[in-house]
Amino acid sequence: QVQLVESGGGLVQAGGSLRLSCEASGRTFSNYRLGWFRQAPGKEREFVAAISKRFVTTSYTYYADSVKGRFTISRDNAKNTVYLQMGSLKPEDTAVYYCAAGNSGTNYAAFIAYDYWGQGTQVTVSS
């Protein structure tokens, strides 16, 4: 059993930055791939970013085209925490952001590849 708790959401003007955090407990953190998804009102939940389990000293990252170059995902296994650094924010980034953890499947962008989910944190970007 893994529990995930997101924090760091809020209201920001277009062009600004936010850093989301997700703290995990219950299992060995390094055994899981980690992802961020978001869901805007009236839309389906969509993939944002993912980071692989750590191999030696390297973790591999993946991003949706809509956030590539603006968002950065990272993990700190010692703190059992995954981060999403969000920059150059746009109004279309407004959504509830969820972190997720999983250790099965091969598609980092697929909902079913993740077994555990946080409660979500609201990000609102004003124009």
Side-chain angles (χ1 to χ4, degrees), residues 7 10 20 25 40 45 48 63 81-82 85-86 94 102 112 118 125-126:
S7 62
L20 306 183
S25 63
R45 188 173 298 186
V48 176
Y63 298 94
T81 301
V82 59
Q85 180 67 49
M86 309 164 63
T94 295
I112 60 173
V125 184
S126 62

Side-chain angles (χ1 to χ4, degrees), residues 4 6 16 18 30 57 82 108 125:
L4 304 171
E6 302 99 332
L18 284 174
S30 61
T57 61
V82 59
Y108 286 100
V125 184

